[in-house]
Structure formats: C-alpha cells, structure tokens
Amino acid sequence: RQQFSFPSIFIYGHTSSGKTYVMQTLLTTLQLPHVFVNCVEYFTSRLLLEEILIQLQGCSSGTKQTSPVHCDTLNDFVRLFKQTVASQELQDQTLYIVLDRAEQLREMEANILPAFLRLQELTDRNVTVVLLSEIVWELFRPNTGCFEPLTIYFPDYSIGHLQKILSQNHPPEYSADFYAAYINILLGVFYMVCRDLKELQHLAALNFAKYCEPVVRGEANERDTRKLWKNIEPHLKKAMQTVYLREIS
C-alpha cells in the first residue's frame, strides 16, 4: 500500500466481460481506499469532481459522507483533494479512483481526461486512476497528446465460461445436470448472435419454464433431452429473432 503505483490504468472490453465486478470485488476484498464513480450518472465535470471528493471524505471510515462540496474548476479539485487526503490520513496509502463508463469523459472539457491520467503528478499524492470502458484507448487519446495509461484488455467469456456461470443459477427443484443440459441447448442456439452475459441470463430465466413443460406434464423425464429439445426448439428460434428487444417476454 505504501508503494507508488502506476498513475493511470485503462481497462477495456465488451459489455458484461466482468470489468466493473472484478474491480469492485478486488478493492473491497483487499480493503483498499477507493472511490467508485459511474460517469453516466455524474455526466458533467463539476458533478464528477464533487462526487469523487464526497466519497473520499468517507474513505477511512467506510461510510459515505454527505457534507456538501463545491468544486468549480480543476484547480479547486486538486486543492480540495489534497486537503481531504490529509484529513482522512491517507497520505501513505495508494488511493484508487475508479471511473466506470469512462467513455463519457470525452464529452467533458478537454482538460479533464489528461488531468485524470496525470492526477498523481498534479496532486503529488499516491493515487491511481482506473478507467473502465467498452471502447479502445485509441478512441480516447486526445489529439494534443497525453500521459499514456497502462492498458489491460478483458476478453469476452468463452462458451465454456458462460456455461459454468449460467449453470450456477439452477432452480433448487431441478437437478444441476438437468439445468446444465438446458444451458447447453440455450448457448447452442444463442451463442453466435449474443455473447452478453446479462442478456443470456435474461433469456435463460425467460425460457426455462417452456423447457420444463414436458416434465411438468409427465410426458418426459429429466433425461429425455430429445423430447425436451423438440418442445423448446421453435420457441427459442422465435426468441432469437428478437434478442435484445424484449418482445417475447
């Protein structure tokens, strides 16, 4: 915690590849002082800078403070940041500022992104800014140049990973093997058109009752995969035409 870390880290990958979840789990489990802000919720530079300072006030105590903070410029932010770090006794620890959906920074003033990338230098404090985004760094880099962050790529889940993750949600009234066979069928149909974990979880929950119909009616048992597949095949093909549109539900 006492060592200086890299000033800025850029983590990118497609939606639902675990970026936000991994960062939150890592920082919480290791109990590292951190600030976590979604740039879609705090969509102007003033809102963003004030939210960082507000969260920073509760870093050492673990509770979010609500005392008002007024921060109009980047100079104000640097000054208030130093004061808050001193008041929270965090001078000797690496502080992490995580900006989720960081592509929104491109819509803000031109000095915001370069300042976050060099915040360690500007504040002379042990701080690392982590940017989480779904787009590549080349689309971020300002024309005027800036400090280059350390980039980390989160690849998409493989079909094997998706099978394992989705199979963990099996209902208690059915066996794990039965639900895993259902997920296998679901991925066989949807994997080529949809790799989004959240969307696949929605589809799995939506169509499971249809898959179980022959078992519920007593026309088949859990091992009759052929009968179960024939029952659900037309339903899944219909659902595939409206992936992401929520029409089948």
Side-chain angles (χ1 to χ4, degrees):
R1 294 185 182 208
Q2 283 69 34
Q3 291 182 327
F4 269 86
S5 66
F6 207 78
S8 50
I9 301 171
F10 182 80
I11 299 176
Y12 68 104
H14 287 134
T15 181
S16 297
S17 53
K19 304 180 295 297
T20 303
Y21 181 74
V22 166
M23 279 306 301
Q24 284 177 329
T25 305
L26 193 64
L27 294 169
T28 306
T29 305
L30 298 177
Q31 297 181 335
L32 300 172
H34 67 277
V35 169
F36 217 104
V37 184
N38 187 316
C39 296
V40 172
E41 294 177 35
Y42 302 93
F43 52 88
T44 67
S45 56
R46 180 175 176 173
L47 287 172
L48 181 62
L49 298 175
E50 288 180 355
E51 177 61 19
I52 290 170
L53 292 169
I54 288 169
Q55 287 194 32
L56 195 55
Q57 289 175 2
C59 253
S60 59
S61 62
T63 58
K64 186 173 177 180
Q65 305 293 313
T66 53
S67 30
V69 175
H70 299 291
C71 177
D72 294 316
T73 67
L74 206 52
N75 285 340
D76 288 345
F77 176 74
V78 171
R79 177 176 55 80
L80 292 167
F81 184 87
K82 287 181 177 180
Q83 288 177 7
T84 310
V85 167
S87 69
Q88 297 293 311
E89 299 179 350
L90 295 169
Q91 299 97 316
D92 299 327
Q93 295 191 53
T94 307
L95 173 68
Y96 294 90
I97 297 177
V98 184
L99 302 177
D100 200 3
R101 301 293 296 277
E103 54 271 12
Q104 298 297 319
L105 294 175
R106 301 181 304 160
E107 310 295 326
M108 298 180 191
E109 290 87 339
N111 63 340
I112 292 294
L113 178 60
F116 274 126
L117 295 172
R118 294 175 53 226
L119 194 61
Q120 191 178 97
E121 179 187 337
L122 292 172
T123 59
D124 193 29
R125 294 292 182 270
N126 196 0
V127 57
T128 293
V129 175
V130 183
L131 306 175
L132 305 181
S133 178
E134 294 175 13
I135 63 176
V136 295
W137 169 244
E138 285 68 27
L139 296 175
F140 267 82
R141 188 184 287 116
N143 297 332
T144 52
C146 64
F147 182 87
E148 293 285 314
L150 179 69
T151 57
I152 299 173
Y153 174 59
F154 269 47
D156 287 345
Y157 290 120
S158 68
I159 193 166
H161 289 146
L162 289 171
Q163 170 81 32
K164 279 185 179 179
I165 295 167
L166 292 168
S167 295
Q168 289 175 356
N169 298 330
H170 76 89
E173 62 268 25
Y174 293 99
S175 69
D177 289 344
F178 176 66
Y179 194 73
Y182 162 66
I183 294 298
N184 216 20
I185 288 171
L186 190 85
L187 289 173
V189 174
F190 288 104
Y191 184 70
M192 294 308 292
V193 295
C194 174
R195 311 275 171 97
D196 186 327
L197 176 62
K198 290 175 185 171
E199 188 67 24
L200 289 167
Q201 283 175 328
H202 171 75
L203 289 165
L206 198 64
N207 296 295
F208 186 61
K210 191 75 179 172
Y211 182 72
C212 298
E213 274 182 0
V215 177
V216 173
R217 291 197 300 258
E219 296 170 4
N221 61 41
E222 289 189 7
R223 296 183 180 277
D224 289 336
T225 49
R226 187 175 175 81
K227 275 187 182 177
L228 295 168
W229 163 246
K230 283 187 74 175
N231 180 64
I232 201 173
E233 182 187 15
H235 191 72
L236 290 183
K237 285 185 175 175
K238 188 180 176 189
M240 191 165 67
Q241 295 167 6
T242 54
V243 171
Y244 300 114
L245 297 181
R246 299 280 190 265
E247 287 180 10
I248 298 300
S249 60

